Amino acid sequence: AGGSQEPLAVLKSKGYARQFITEHNLMPLLFTQGGMFDDKKDIRDAVRIFDDKVRSVDQDRRTGLVTVTVTWTDPALAAKWANDYVRGLNERMREEAIREAERNLAYLNKEIATTPVVAAQQTLGRVVESEMQKMLLARGSDDYAYKVIDPATQPNRRYSPRRSLIVIISTAIGGLLGSLFVLLRRLRVQRRERA
């Protein structure tokens, strides 16, 4: 998309997140994750959950590469959503570019027809060529805004929860509580012996 920041802004936008959630019927999944379903929740709540906990978009300032990350309990579904999210953005930006080029071409052709000055007609003709190129590029490219370099795949390792970390922490807490229990029991026995 010519180095424009517009695709990145759309990728991060609440409006595009809302469209994605609606098109893929994600509200029930987002709300039932963790038993949080409530009839009073609406699309704004779903977008907030999606923004805060599910999807993140980062751009490497040095290389300009954009990374979309989807975190979800089902790794296959997370990979699908990430790929669909970028594919949907490319489709949306491509359709918008085609509509804009068609609108510009209609206006320019009308201006050429009503302009009697040959030099102005030639200038407008060059602009028409430019708009035609934009429209052809948009129609011929599935990866219009972003070229997918590394499509999302199902990870082979869990992101969360980390079971080994849970086991280590549980063991440490269990050991601490066990030691505390034994210490309190000894103190109680010592008090009884003194009394």
Side-chain angles (χ1 to χ4, degrees):
S4 169
Q5 288 297 308
E6 183 183 2
L8 181 60
V10 173
L11 204 57
K12 292 180 173 184
S13 74
K14 291 186 184 316
Y16 182 56
R18 184 180 303 110
Q19 175 188 339
F20 185 80
I21 290 167
T22 304
E23 285 176 0
H24 291 80
N25 193 27
L26 301 184
M27 283 179 56
L29 287 172
L30 292 171
F31 293 145
T32 56
Q33 185 68 25
M36 297 177 5
F37 189 74
D38 181 357
D39 289 338
K40 295 177 184 165
K41 292 190 180 282
D42 64 11
I43 189 68
R44 292 169 295 189
D45 299 308
V47 169
R48 189 179 67 254
I49 292 167
F50 192 74
D51 270 351
D52 294 345
K53 298 182 179 178
V54 178
R55 184 250 329 159
S56 68
V57 179
D58 298 302
Q59 182 179 29
D60 184 325
R61 297 273 182 216
R62 191 174 49 82
T63 63
L65 291 176
V66 175
T67 303
V68 175
T69 304
V70 174
T71 305
W72 194 248
T73 55
D74 180 347
L77 195 54
K80 181 184 180 324
W81 286 354
N83 289 325
D84 289 349
Y85 199 72
V86 175
R87 188 179 306 111
L89 172 88
N90 277 328
E91 189 175 304
R92 175 178 168 164
M93 298 301 292
R94 187 170 49 82
E95 288 171 3
E96 286 178 13
I98 290 169
R99 277 194 305 273
E100 182 180 336
E102 287 173 344
R103 197 171 43 246
N104 290 345
L105 285 170
Y107 173 77
L108 289 167
N109 285 327
K110 186 176 122 192
E111 287 298 312
I112 288 172
T114 60
T115 302
V117 180
V118 174
Q121 287 177 343
Q122 289 174 344
T123 302
L124 289 172
R126 286 190 291 276
V127 177
V128 165
E129 279 182 40
S130 172
E131 288 299 318
M132 292 284 289
Q133 287 174 350
K134 287 179 192 175
M135 189 167 60
L136 289 172
L137 283 173
R139 283 196 171 138
S141 175
D142 288 337
D143 293 340
Y144 179 73
Y146 288 113
K147 180 172 178 54
V148 177
I149 294 172
D150 191 10
T153 57
Q154 181 176 340
N156 59 1
R157 281 187 4 209
R158 276 184 159 301
Y159 173 74
S160 177
R162 295 189 177 146
R163 290 186 179 146
S164 59
L165 184 61
I166 292 171
V167 169
I168 291 169
I169 291 173
S170 298
T171 303
I173 290 173
L176 181 65
L177 290 174
S179 299
L180 185 61
F181 178 75
V182 169
L183 181 65
L184 289 174
R185 189 158 198 174
R186 277 191 181 165
L187 288 173
R188 206 180 280 171
V189 169
Q190 286 176 356
R191 282 185 188 165
R192 286 184 188 160
E193 289 176 357
R194 289 183 192 162

